[in-house]
Structure formats: C-alpha cells, structure tokens
Amino acid sequence: MSARSLVLCGPLLLTIVACAQASAPLLTIPRTEIAPQVDGIVGQGEWSRAAVTTGLCDVTTGSMARAQMVVSACYDAESLYCLLQCHGEQLDALKGGPAERDAPIWSDSLAEVFIAPESAPVSAYLHFMVNHVGAIADEACHEGTRDLGANPAWQAATGKDGGGWFAEIAIPWASVGIASPRPGNRLRINFARNAASVPELCSWAPLRGGLHMPELFGTAVLAGAEPVVRISRLPDRRTGVARICGRLLASDGTARLTATMRSL
C-alpha cells in the first residue's frame, strides 16, 4: 500500500494523508475579516481567504474515497465557517429529503463535522450533520453516549453547483466552549461524508470501521493572519502520474510547499 502526504514546510505545517496507517492530519485555519454568508450560495471570492483540505478515505477499505469532499475553513471572533463541497454522487440519486431537526438523517447523502477544544476530555465532542437538502442533526458526545437533545447553536445551508452539492456551516465558538478564539488555539476536528448513493462513508482523519473515534481525530490550529495552504486535489486510487493541486495563501515567501510520496 502506498501513502501520499503533502507537507507545508516553514512557519506552518499542514499534513494531508491518504492511507489508513497514516498519522492524524493537521489543518491551519486563517482568520477572515469578512465572514462568509451561510445562505446556500457560494458568492464570488466568498471563500477565497479560507484554508482548503481534502483527501478523505473510505472508512471500510482505508483507500482514497471515490466520492471526495473538499473542505474550506476560516474563522472570525464569532464562529468557525466551513464549506463542504461533495463530489462523486449523481444529483438525481442523492438520498434523503427534508426533515425536522435531529431526525435520523445519518443514512442520507450528508456531510459531517466533529469538533472539540483540545483542552476538552478526548471523549467529549460535538457532532454536526447536514444532508443535501439542508436537514440538520447534532449531538453532544461524551464517553460513548450521544445526546441528540443538546441542540447547540449553529447554522447550515446547502446548494448544488458543478455537478455536486455543498453545505455551508457556521459553528459559534460559544457552542464549542471557546470564549474568544486566539491564534494558536487548537481543536480536535474531523470532517466526514456519507455518500449514500455510492455507497461510501469517508473521513478526513484516518479512521477504520466508523466515525466516533475521537482519539484519532485530526487537529485544527487557528492561524490568525499567518499564511495557510489550500489543497483542493490529491492523488486518487490510480497508479502512475499523481496530480496534486495546491497553493499558499497570504504567504510572505518564506514558506515552502513540498509534495512527497512514500511506500509502506
């Protein structure tokens, strides 16, 4: 099995992994002066100052997901903002429909975010879910229990674009238990997707067999105005020439982007 990683060397470090044996991924998230609108419309340039990551893996096989998701993330004093762009499902085959909050949407075509402050107990985290038409569910998880009645404040809106669907999400820091976000603050985080029509369940963190494994979640670091990286494409399951799409955001020229491939 081969492992593919992309590392930003310099003042920042971002590692994106694409195999089951790899270490947990790390994402640096920039602060934005203009918050994205959570309205189901991706305005021109609205997410241009966000960090971008991808490379979700199938939790059953450990291989790169066939139905991939690209995650954009930024923050301000009020909230963490995520754009989850879901590819690989035919729009007319998407599963699920409108539903009341906390309805059992987890078998639908949906996107998910798991999050907690690094200072919280490892077993304690919030889980946010939104299906392709905007139905939401959320739960507070602690020591293996899941409370659907917690209902933390957050926003979500969905739309369709370029043959796929997407979700815009805003999670207030107050819901996460952070009074005032500061550069250097660290979060335990994971992004996941159920491509129900494929079918395929995939995760940004290298999980196997399920998603509720908080000890294996990735890490997000709030970067303030420091440069971050945008990775929108990683190699898929094919062999041969590998294409990687990435660029630095707000770099002062001291950061270096290095792509490496290694065999396990």
Side-chain angles (χ1 to χ4, degrees):
M1 179 180 294
S2 63
R4 304 178 179 98
S5 64
L6 200 65
V7 180
L8 173 65
C9 304
L12 299 175
L13 175 66
L14 174 75
T15 304
I16 301 176
V17 294
C19 73
Q21 287 87 355
S23 59
L26 174 68
L27 176 67
T28 51
I29 302 178
R31 183 171 179 129
T32 181
E33 298 302 321
I34 303 176
Q37 296 296 308
V38 181
D39 55 7
I41 301 171
V42 178
Q44 184 175 4
E46 188 174 27
W47 293 90
S48 63
R49 307 303 294 176
V52 180
T53 186
T54 187
L56 280 70
C57 292
D58 187 317
V59 302
T60 300
T61 66
S63 299
M64 186 73 78
R66 291 170 291 170
Q68 199 54 245
M69 184 167 74
V70 178
V71 179
S72 302
C74 58
Y75 75 97
D76 63 12
E78 302 298 325
S79 300
L80 172 69
Y81 304 95
C82 297
L83 170 64
L84 311 174
Q85 296 173 290
C86 301
H87 309 291
E89 285 188 278
Q90 296 294 322
L91 293 182
D92 58 1
L94 294 171
K95 305 293 185 182
E100 295 183 356
R101 184 173 187 170
D102 294 334
I105 64 172
W106 33 85
S107 295
D108 296 353
S109 298
L110 85 165
E112 308 175 58
V113 177
F114 300 76
I115 188 171
E118 189 180 56
S119 59
V122 171
S123 64
Y125 56 95
L126 294 176
H127 178 202
F128 300 93
M129 297 164 274
V130 56
N131 75 5
H132 68 100
V133 295
I136 64 170
D138 47 69
E139 54 189 2
C141 304
H142 182 61
E143 295 185 348
T145 64
R146 306 177 193 175
D147 181 10
L148 281 167
N151 291 340
W154 66 297
Q155 294 176 272
T158 60
K160 295 177 173 62
D161 183 32
W165 71 276
F166 63 87
E168 294 180 299
I169 292 175
I171 302 174
W173 294 117
S175 295
V176 181
I178 295 177
S180 178
R182 300 179 183 278
N185 285 165
R186 299 170 72 89
L187 306 167
R188 288 182 290 107
I189 199 165
N190 193 27
F191 307 103
R193 177 191 178 186
N194 185 36
S197 66
V198 173
E200 182 181 64
L201 181 64
C202 58
S203 167
W204 182 64
L207 310 183
R208 291 295 293 272
L211 296 176
H212 289 270
M213 302 176 186
E215 69 279 6
L216 299 177
F217 287 174
T219 300
V221 180
L222 303 188
E226 293 297 316
V228 298
V229 71
R230 295 169 59 90
I231 305 297
S232 58
R233 181 172 176 173
L234 286 174
D236 58 21
R237 301 182 183 191
R238 294 171 293 179
T239 60
V241 176
R243 183 183 179 192
I244 300 173
C245 298
R247 68 184 181 89
L248 300 181
L249 179 66
S251 172
D252 62 2
T254 62
R256 179 169 58 91
L257 189 64
T258 303
T260 65
M261 298 187 70
R262 58 188 172 86
S263 297
L264 295 178

